[in-house]
């Protein structure tokens, strides 16, 4: 059986987004209603500025004691997130996320946002493949110095 692509694997095909002026509380409410762990920060017409995740809300808003009602998502988002095309294999996407330390990856075809791949969208088989590949790369890097 062929490995799935990230587009085939994403659980939701619609994009959850907010404008850069929205508050951190707005973002938390949107993520809660959509039952997802991230929101894309977009400027009209369809320009991706950044991504805001549950982890960002925890580490950049709550842990710093910022007022969620008066903190804009632009202040706490991850700007210019790494994006991948929809035909990216799940294991390649998971390797990228493991190596870079994030859990959400926007999918783009040209300039069009197609959705967000989450590590939750990966099957255990693909996670196992990605972890093995990451461990192999670490061993090679250690051997090369």
């Amino acid at each position: 059986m062929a490995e799935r692509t990230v587009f085939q694997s994403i659980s939701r095909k619609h994009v959850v987004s907010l404008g850069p002026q929205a508050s951190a509380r707005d973002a938390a409410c949107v993520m809660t209603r959509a039952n997802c762990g991230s929101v894309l920060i977009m400027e009209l017409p369809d320009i991706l500025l950044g991504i805001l995740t549950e982890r960002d809300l925890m580490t950049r808003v709550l842990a710093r004691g910022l007022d969620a009602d008066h903190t804009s998502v632009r202040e706490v988002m991850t700007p210019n997130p790494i994006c991948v095309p929809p035909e990216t294999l799940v294991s390649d996407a998971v390797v990228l996320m493991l190596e870079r330390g994030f859990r959400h990856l926007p999918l783009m075809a040209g300039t069009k946002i197609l959705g967000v791949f989450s590590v939750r969208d990966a099957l255990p088989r693909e996670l196992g493949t990605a972890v093995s590949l990451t461990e192999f790369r670490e061993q090679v890097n250690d051997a090369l110095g």
Side-chain angles (χ1 to χ4, degrees):
M1 183 159 98
E3 185 178 348
R4 297 175 307 144
T5 66
V6 289
F7 187 71
Q8 292 169 327
S9 303
I10 58 176
S11 55
R12 68 184 81 256
K13 303 288 188 203
H14 69 277
V15 176
V16 179
S17 66
L18 285 171
Q21 72 289 347
S23 72
R25 183 173 312 282
D26 294 335
C29 291
V30 164
M31 285 188 267
T32 299
R33 280 193 302 274
N35 192 32
C36 65
S38 67
V39 61
L40 297 179
I41 310 306
M42 308 281 292
E43 196 150 63
L44 295 176
D46 284 325
I47 300 167
L48 177 63
L49 299 176
I51 188 169
L52 187 73
T53 68
E54 298 162 315
R55 188 189 310 178
D56 294 331
L57 289 172
M58 182 180 61
T59 61
R60 298 178 184 170
V61 178
L62 294 175
R64 292 181 183 168
L66 299 180
D67 182 342
D69 290 315
H70 295 99
T71 301
S72 72
V73 292
R74 183 188 293 272
E75 296 172 66
V76 290
M77 70 182 186
T78 299
N80 306 310
I82 293 171
C83 300
V84 296
E87 62 273 8
T88 303
L89 295 178
V90 169
S91 60
D92 291 337
V94 173
V95 166
L96 177 65
M97 291 190 289
L98 288 170
E99 290 178 346
R100 300 292 183 104
F102 50 79
R103 299 176 191 155
H104 299 89
L105 196 54
L107 309 182
M108 289 188 82
T111 59
K112 182 175 173 48
I113 300 286
L114 300 176
V116 176
F117 176 77
S118 166
V119 75
R120 283 185 258 177
D121 296 321
L123 290 173
R125 172 181 62 115
E126 290 154 328
L127 281 171
T129 300
V131 168
S132 295
L133 187 54
T134 302
E135 289 170 351
F136 173 75
R137 286 182 181 173
E138 287 175 0
Q139 290 172 355
V140 169
N141 286 338
D142 287 346
L144 295 175

mmCIF file of all heavy atoms in Angstrom, residues 3 9 12 15 26 35 42 45 51-52 57 61 67 93-94 96 107 112 115 124 129 136-137 143:
data_model
loop_
_atom_site.group_PDB
_atom_site.id
_atom_site.type_symbol
_atom_site.label_atom_id
_atom_site.label_comp_id
_atom_site.label_asym_id
_atom_site.label_seq_id
_atom_site.Cartn_x
_atom_site.Cartn_y
_atom_site.Cartn_z
ATOM 1 N N GLU A 3 2.161 5.007 0.598
ATOM 2 C CA GLU A 3 2.032 5.935 1.717
ATOM 3 C C GLU A 3 1.141 7.115 1.335
ATOM 4 O O GLU A 3 1.160 7.585 0.206
ATOM 5 C CB GLU A 3 3.417 6.448 2.124
ATOM 6 C CG GLU A 3 3.360 7.321 3.351
ATOM 7 C CD GLU A 3 4.727 7.798 3.794
ATOM 8 O OE1 GLU A 3 5.740 7.286 3.303
ATOM 9 O OE2 GLU A 3 4.767 8.709 4.635
ATOM 10 N N SER A 9 -4.377 12.991 4.229
ATOM 11 C CA SER A 9 -4.414 12.671 5.653
ATOM 12 C C SER A 9 -5.076 13.716 6.529
ATOM 13 O O SER A 9 -5.442 13.406 7.657
ATOM 14 C CB SER A 9 -2.986 12.476 6.164
ATOM 15 O OG SER A 9 -2.359 11.467 5.420
ATOM 16 N N ARG A 12 -9.488 17.826 8.339
ATOM 17 C CA ARG A 12 -10.451 18.857 7.920
ATOM 18 C C ARG A 12 -9.919 19.553 6.680
ATOM 19 O O ARG A 12 -8.757 19.945 6.634
ATOM 20 C CB ARG A 12 -10.754 19.829 9.044
ATOM 21 C CG ARG A 12 -9.614 20.739 9.468
ATOM 22 C CD ARG A 12 -9.947 21.619 10.650
ATOM 23 N NE ARG A 12 -9.813 20.898 11.898
ATOM 24 C CZ ARG A 12 -10.834 20.445 12.620
ATOM 25 N NH1 ARG A 12 -12.051 20.648 12.257
ATOM 26 N NH2 ARG A 12 -10.634 19.775 13.725
ATOM 27 N N VAL A 15 -10.126 25.682 6.010
ATOM 28 C CA VAL A 15 -9.054 26.412 6.683
ATOM 29 C C VAL A 15 -9.637 27.236 7.827
ATOM 30 O O VAL A 15 -10.607 27.975 7.643
ATOM 31 C CB VAL A 15 -8.319 27.336 5.680
ATOM 32 C CG1 VAL A 15 -7.279 28.169 6.382
ATOM 33 C CG2 VAL A 15 -7.701 26.509 4.564
ATOM 34 N N ASP A 26 -9.772 35.489 20.997
ATOM 35 C CA ASP A 26 -10.519 35.135 19.788
ATOM 36 C C ASP A 26 -9.957 33.846 19.189
ATOM 37 O O ASP A 26 -10.705 32.956 18.788
ATOM 38 C CB ASP A 26 -10.426 36.239 18.724
ATOM 39 C CG ASP A 26 -11.114 37.529 19.127
ATOM 40 O OD1 ASP A 26 -12.041 37.488 19.959
ATOM 41 O OD2 ASP A 26 -10.714 38.585 18.583
ATOM 42 N N ASN A 35 -12.447 22.638 17.192
ATOM 43 C CA ASN A 35 -11.773 21.458 17.742
ATOM 44 C C ASN A 35 -10.458 21.183 17.010
ATOM 45 O O ASN A 35 -10.203 20.076 16.534
ATOM 46 C CB ASN A 35 -12.694 20.234 17.683
ATOM 47 C CG ASN A 35 -12.154 19.071 18.489
ATOM 48 O OD1 ASN A 35 -11.490 19.270 19.498
ATOM 49 N ND2 ASN A 35 -12.409 17.863 18.032
ATOM 50 N N MET A 42 -4.229 35.265 8.600
ATOM 51 C CA MET A 42 -4.297 35.629 7.184
ATOM 52 C C MET A 42 -4.655 37.108 7.038
ATOM 53 O O MET A 42 -5.413 37.656 7.826
ATOM 54 C CB MET A 42 -5.385 34.806 6.479
ATOM 55 C CG MET A 42 -5.298 33.308 6.676
ATOM 56 S SD MET A 42 -4.090 32.509 5.662
ATOM 57 C CE MET A 42 -4.808 32.712 4.051
ATOM 58 N N PRO A 45 -6.219 39.460 0.480
ATOM 59 C CA PRO A 45 -7.261 38.474 0.183
ATOM 60 C C PRO A 45 -6.926 37.092 0.735
ATOM 61 O O PRO A 45 -7.758 36.473 1.393
ATOM 62 C CB PRO A 45 -7.329 38.470 -1.333
ATOM 63 C CG PRO A 45 -5.956 38.862 -1.785
ATOM 64 C CD PRO A 45 -5.418 39.780 -0.711
ATOM 65 N N ILE A 51 1.056 31.466 11.859
ATOM 66 C CA ILE A 51 0.222 30.426 12.462
ATOM 67 C C ILE A 51 0.280 30.602 13.977
ATOM 68 O O ILE A 51 1.313 30.991 14.529
ATOM 69 C CB ILE A 51 0.687 29.011 12.033
ATOM 70 C CG1 ILE A 51 -0.296 27.944 12.505
ATOM 71 C CG2 ILE A 51 2.110 28.735 12.502
ATOM 72 C CD1 ILE A 51 -0.036 26.563 11.897
ATOM 73 N N LEU A 52 -0.838 30.356 14.623
ATOM 74 C CA LEU A 52 -0.898 30.411 16.080
ATOM 75 C C LEU A 52 -1.419 29.066 16.555
ATOM 76 O O LEU A 52 -2.437 28.578 16.063
ATOM 77 C CB LEU A 52 -1.830 31.535 16.542
ATOM 78 C CG LEU A 52 -1.841 31.776 18.044
ATOM 79 C CD1 LEU A 52 -0.548 32.449 18.490
ATOM 80 C CD2 LEU A 52 -3.026 32.621 18.443
ATOM 81 N N LEU A 57 -0.230 29.820 22.450
ATOM 82 C CA LEU A 57 -1.100 30.468 23.444
ATOM 83 C C LEU A 57 -0.594 30.198 24.859
ATOM 84 O O LEU A 57 -0.578 31.097 25.701
ATOM 85 C CB LEU A 57 -2.543 30.001 23.288
ATOM 86 C CG LEU A 57 -3.263 30.508 22.046
ATOM 87 C CD1 LEU A 57 -4.617 29.813 21.893
ATOM 88 C CD2 LEU A 57 -3.440 32.024 22.093
ATOM 89 N N VAL A 61 1.431 33.596 25.696
ATOM 90 C CA VAL A 61 0.382 34.434 26.281
ATOM 91 C C VAL A 61 0.229 34.100 27.761
ATOM 92 O O VAL A 61 0.528 34.922 28.630
ATOM 93 C CB VAL A 61 -0.961 34.285 25.527
ATOM 94 C CG1 VAL A 61 -2.049 35.132 26.177
ATOM 95 C CG2 VAL A 61 -0.807 34.651 24.051
ATOM 96 N N ASP A 67 -2.563 39.709 28.770
ATOM 97 C CA ASP A 67 -4.020 39.781 28.737
ATOM 98 C C ASP A 67 -4.493 39.268 27.378
ATOM 99 O O ASP A 67 -4.255 39.908 26.350
ATOM 100 C CB ASP A 67 -4.462 41.234 28.944
ATOM 101 C CG ASP A 67 -5.967 41.404 28.974
ATOM 102 O OD1 ASP A 67 -6.698 40.495 28.514
ATOM 103 O OD2 ASP A 67 -6.414 42.464 29.437
ATOM 104 N N ALA A 93 6.665 14.808 6.101
ATOM 105 C CA ALA A 93 6.130 15.923 6.885
ATOM 106 C C ALA A 93 6.411 15.731 8.366
ATOM 107 O O ALA A 93 6.801 16.674 9.069
ATOM 108 C CB ALA A 93 4.620 16.056 6.641
ATOM 109 N N VAL A 94 6.249 14.513 8.850
ATOM 110 C CA VAL A 94 6.495 14.235 10.276
ATOM 111 C C VAL A 94 7.968 14.405 10.603
ATOM 112 O O VAL A 94 8.319 14.963 11.644
ATOM 113 C CB VAL A 94 5.961 12.842 10.668
ATOM 114 C CG1 VAL A 94 6.372 12.481 12.091
ATOM 115 C CG2 VAL A 94 4.442 12.793 10.532
ATOM 116 N N LEU A 96 10.031 16.442 9.135
ATOM 117 C CA LEU A 96 10.227 17.891 9.169
ATOM 118 C C LEU A 96 9.749 18.477 10.493
ATOM 119 O O LEU A 96 10.453 19.266 11.130
ATOM 120 C CB LEU A 96 9.488 18.547 7.989
ATOM 121 C CG LEU A 96 9.525 20.062 7.905
ATOM 122 C CD1 LEU A 96 10.949 20.560 7.674
ATOM 123 C CD2 LEU A 96 8.604 20.544 6.786
ATOM 124 N N LEU A 107 -0.526 23.504 4.421
ATOM 125 C CA LEU A 107 -0.386 22.930 3.091
ATOM 126 C C LEU A 107 -0.719 24.003 2.065
ATOM 127 O O LEU A 107 -1.765 24.649 2.164
ATOM 128 C CB LEU A 107 -1.350 21.764 2.890
ATOM 129 C CG LEU A 107 -1.351 20.671 3.946
ATOM 130 C CD1 LEU A 107 -2.329 19.580 3.558
ATOM 131 C CD2 LEU A 107 0.019 20.115 4.144
ATOM 132 N N LYS A 112 -2.256 29.159 -2.745
ATOM 133 C CA LYS A 112 -3.527 28.778 -2.118
ATOM 134 C C LYS A 112 -3.294 27.856 -0.919
ATOM 135 O O LYS A 112 -2.635 26.828 -1.028
ATOM 136 C CB LYS A 112 -4.424 28.086 -3.142
ATOM 137 C CG LYS A 112 -5.787 27.700 -2.607
ATOM 138 C CD LYS A 112 -6.652 27.131 -3.709
ATOM 139 C CE LYS A 112 -7.968 26.577 -3.235
ATOM 140 N NZ LYS A 112 -8.740 27.385 -2.344
ATOM 141 N N GLY A 115 -5.092 23.707 3.778
ATOM 142 C CA GLY A 115 -5.398 23.173 5.096
ATOM 143 C C GLY A 115 -4.148 23.132 5.945
ATOM 144 O O GLY A 115 -3.115 23.690 5.577
ATOM 145 N N PRO A 124 0.126 5.726 13.199
ATOM 146 C CA PRO A 124 1.284 5.187 13.921
ATOM 147 C C PRO A 124 2.350 4.609 12.993
ATOM 148 O O PRO A 124 3.536 4.772 13.233
ATOM 149 C CB PRO A 124 0.662 4.104 14.811
ATOM 150 C CG PRO A 124 -0.739 4.552 15.019
ATOM 151 C CD PRO A 124 -1.140 5.238 13.741
ATOM 152 N N THR A 129 7.826 5.268 10.900
ATOM 153 C CA THR A 129 8.759 5.467 9.783
ATOM 154 C C THR A 129 9.526 6.765 9.959
ATOM 155 O O THR A 129 10.739 6.821 9.783
ATOM 156 C CB THR A 129 7.992 5.480 8.439
ATOM 157 O OG1 THR A 129 7.324 4.236 8.294
ATOM 158 C CG2 THR A 129 8.918 5.714 7.262
ATOM 159 N N PHE A 136 17.927 7.734 12.398
ATOM 160 C CA PHE A 136 19.006 7.412 11.462
ATOM 161 C C PHE A 136 19.788 8.676 11.108
ATOM 162 O O PHE A 136 21.021 8.676 11.113
ATOM 163 C CB PHE A 136 18.433 6.758 10.201
ATOM 164 C CG PHE A 136 19.460 6.551 9.122
ATOM 165 C CD1 PHE A 136 20.395 5.540 9.232
ATOM 166 C CD2 PHE A 136 19.496 7.373 8.002
ATOM 167 C CE1 PHE A 136 21.362 5.342 8.243
ATOM 168 C CE2 PHE A 136 20.442 7.202 7.021
ATOM 169 C CZ PHE A 136 21.377 6.181 7.136
ATOM 170 N N ARG A 137 19.086 9.760 10.813
ATOM 171 C CA ARG A 137 19.756 11.020 10.463
ATOM 172 C C ARG A 137 20.603 11.532 11.621
ATOM 173 O O ARG A 137 21.698 12.037 11.409
ATOM 174 C CB ARG A 137 18.734 12.070 10.051
ATOM 175 C CG ARG A 137 18.142 11.821 8.683
ATOM 176 C CD ARG A 137 17.169 12.902 8.300
ATOM 177 N NE ARG A 137 16.593 12.646 6.992
ATOM 178 C CZ ARG A 137 15.614 13.354 6.482
ATOM 179 N NH1 ARG A 137 15.094 14.359 7.141
ATOM 180 N NH2 ARG A 137 15.145 13.052 5.287
ATOM 181 N N ALA A 143 27.962 10.643 13.596
ATOM 182 C CA ALA A 143 29.131 9.981 13.017
ATOM 183 C C ALA A 143 29.998 10.951 12.186
ATOM 184 O O ALA A 143 31.213 10.854 12.174
ATOM 185 C CB ALA A 143 28.712 8.806 12.134
#
